[in-house]
Amino acid sequence: MEAIQQRLNHAAQLDQHQLSPQRPGRRRGPNFKMMFKNREMQAALGSGAMMLAAWGLSGSYELVSVILYIAAYAIGGWAKAKEGVETLVKDRDLDVNLLMIAAALGAASIGYWNEGAMLIFIFALSGALESYTNERSHKDISSLIALKPETALRIQDGTVEHVAIELLQPGDLLLVKPGELLPSDGKVYKGYSAVNQASITGESVPVEKNAGDEVYAGTINGEGALYIEVTQPADNTLFSKIIKLVEEAQSEVPASQRFIEKFEGIYAKLVVLITAALILAMPLLFGSTWENAFYKAMVFLVVASPCALVASIMPVMLSSISSSARRGLLFKGGAHVENMAKTAVVAFDKTGTLTRGVPEVTDLIAAEGYEEMDILSCIAAIESQSKHPLAEAVTAKAFTAGAEQVQAEEVQSITGWGIVGKVNGILWRIGKTDVLDQDTADSSWRETRAKLESEGKTLSVIMHEDNIAGLIAMRDTVRPQAVKAVERLQELGIKVAMLTGDRKGTADVIAKETGVDFVFAELLPEQKVEKVRALREQYGHVVMVGDGVNDAPALAAATVGMGMGMSGSGTAIEVSDVVLMNDNIEEIAWSVKQSRRAARVVKQNIVFAISVITLLIAGNFITELALPLGVIGHEGSTILVILNGLRLLR
């Protein structure tokens, strides 16, 4: 601490102009993925323009018209043809890209240039729209990567130097100027500012930061300069973990999508076989002309292709992931959106999840002849020299209550009992309540202890010399949003369980306050796993919500593991399938509703896509369905299912 203060004193002598706003370096350069998607849309629109120009010139300038049609085919179909050929060569499989290109070329071969060009145009347009959907869906989480700082201002040996964030180590002192990105996780050592944490927690309002407050890499400093003590190396910051989650989210494919992709290959081969059979059978068996048979086969090839079916799922899942990210829920992939929709039970860890995870003083009972504030001042002076969580709760209570600050001397920790020290030469002791069991102690103290312990509180006795001066009770308090979070889940027909390693009395009190359906207490980590598995066997899909290393096995055993992003351990975040970045457990019910909504949209899309394909195929065989109508019906249905998925972005 003295070393940090010395560096800070040196830094105070630096020129004031160094405090002028300056954002740390960031990765810059063109976003080639975004440029490709823009070009895809440009290619689709260019193909459409060429098609219209060729159609306008047909009849008068046939040669020019054909050249423009060829240009329309090349501009709009090149990317899709390339994808189709790559799938055929690498995977030895057919996909809808190759089917559409084959249909367009087939139409052109029998003189239906405009119909083929229209097919290419609408197919390219739907593909560009799907790319836009993916881009828009990834935006809310992928934009975090652009906020990653590359350098920091480190104070060392009386100077401020720019260093790469990879070189930062816990204990380093950083200067963060107004308007800069915070380069590392840490604690404010000195300064005051309002920090915009929207990129991490989703909070829309900047959060005030004073000395001692935690800050996160990738957040934006407000108008005040902050001196930050680094607490995490660059590769272990919360921001780095988010980026890893983003990469996983973009590559994860839900089970339904994997089934559709597998089905697409089989279905595409079947469509090609039926198309070839139509070309051969109609002239031989039904006396149709070769040209008419080929035309009808091309219409079938278009309307039977599963474009809309293939586009029914992923745009929906990505849109759901995106809208969830805006509310501080980071899904690692579409598979977890699917599973979240089937939730039957949500199991919460207690400490740090349903509760704050930090003990707070709830009661201070003074003996006759003692004043509460005097006792609080004395014991806070002693406890301030300890790092025990209960000691920190006492000092926090003294600070918020405005107790007088006094000095303690000869402070000593007594292993297995508590702590002792002198204030103004008088001995004070704070520790276990076993002294109340002695015959000399008033029985009323034992009654008070029993009452407070029945409320799930941890007690310490306060001794002034050899006299009982009072009792102090502490408890891990329930999160403000816990009751509402449980109620909202139960309104959705979901059972709520609490799994904890804490003693049964404490667990029962918290369960009563929050209104959970099931309570399982005094569990070891492996027993939590057993309870999760038992709940899955009895009720079905289980979501486990936890924050600690001891919750990691249960998070992995659940259908969906949900880790607490701000207070959770790195292990819990890595093991979990969904990260609750702002620790707001009320959002869990919303995520279930949103996932169920996504599941409904997927069903709508699949039913709609299959219905359109069935109707168009029937229309082709029962009536003379024109190729342009088949193109519009088939590709129009593809665009509609994509737009239906986009509704989830709202």
Side-chain angles (χ1 to χ4, degrees), residues 32-50 72 74-80 83 120-136 639 642-643 646:
F32 293 107
K33 190 175 180 181
M34 182 102 44
M35 289 174 63
F36 170 76
K37 289 176 180 175
N38 289 338
R39 287 175 179 172
E40 194 173 351
M41 181 62 77
Q42 291 169 3
L45 296 175
S47 176
M50 290 291 181
I75 294 170
W78 173 256
K80 295 297 182 183
E83 286 180 32
I120 290 288
F121 164 61
I122 302 179
F123 187 56
L125 186 63
S126 65
L129 184 59
E130 187 169 3
S131 295
Y132 164 76
T133 305
N134 295 343
E135 172 192 331
R136 176 66 181 80
I639 292 174
I642 294 172
L643 291 176
L646 274 175

Side-chain angles (χ1 to χ4, degrees), residues 7 39 56 90 95 134 328 331 353 358 390 439 488 509 533 558 566 581 617 648:
R7 281 181 277 164
R39 287 175 179 172
K90 291 181 180 179
D95 63 9
N134 295 343
F331 280 81
T353 306
V358 179
L390 298 180
D439 294 336
R488 289 181 176 175
V509 170
R533 287 174 177 166
M566 293 185 70
M581 296 310 304
I617 290 174
L648 294 176

Side-chain angles (χ1 to χ4, degrees), residues 85-100:
V85 171
E86 286 177 353
T87 302
L88 184 64
V89 173
K90 291 181 180 179
D91 302 330
R92 295 183 179 180
D93 206 354
L94 288 172
D95 63 9
V96 292
N97 295 308
L98 215 54
L99 293 186
M100 290 297 96

Side-chain angles (χ1 to χ4, degrees), residues 377-385 404-411 421-426 428:
S377 294
C378 294
I379 63 173
I382 296 168
E383 297 280 28
S384 65
Q385 298 187 37
E404 182 184 356
Q405 294 184 5
V406 294
Q407 296 297 317
E409 301 170 343
E410 301 179 28
V411 176
K422 288 184 178 181
V423 178
N424 297 326
I426 300 174
W428 290 82

Side-chain angles (χ1 to χ4, degrees), residues 153 168 266 289 297 314 318 360 363 372 447 461 480 559 593 633:
L153 289 174
L168 297 179
I266 299 170
T289 64
M314 278 311 291
L318 292 172
E360 293 181 4
D363 303 271
E372 287 185 12
E447 292 172 4
V461 68
T559 312
K593 288 172 66 176

Side-chain angles (χ1 to χ4, degrees), residues 490-506:
Q490 290 169 338
E491 288 170 1
L492 295 174
I494 295 171
K495 299 289 185 181
V496 182
M498 184 174 73
L499 311 181
T500 179
D502 211 339
R503 54 197 177 92
K504 190 175 187 305
T506 302

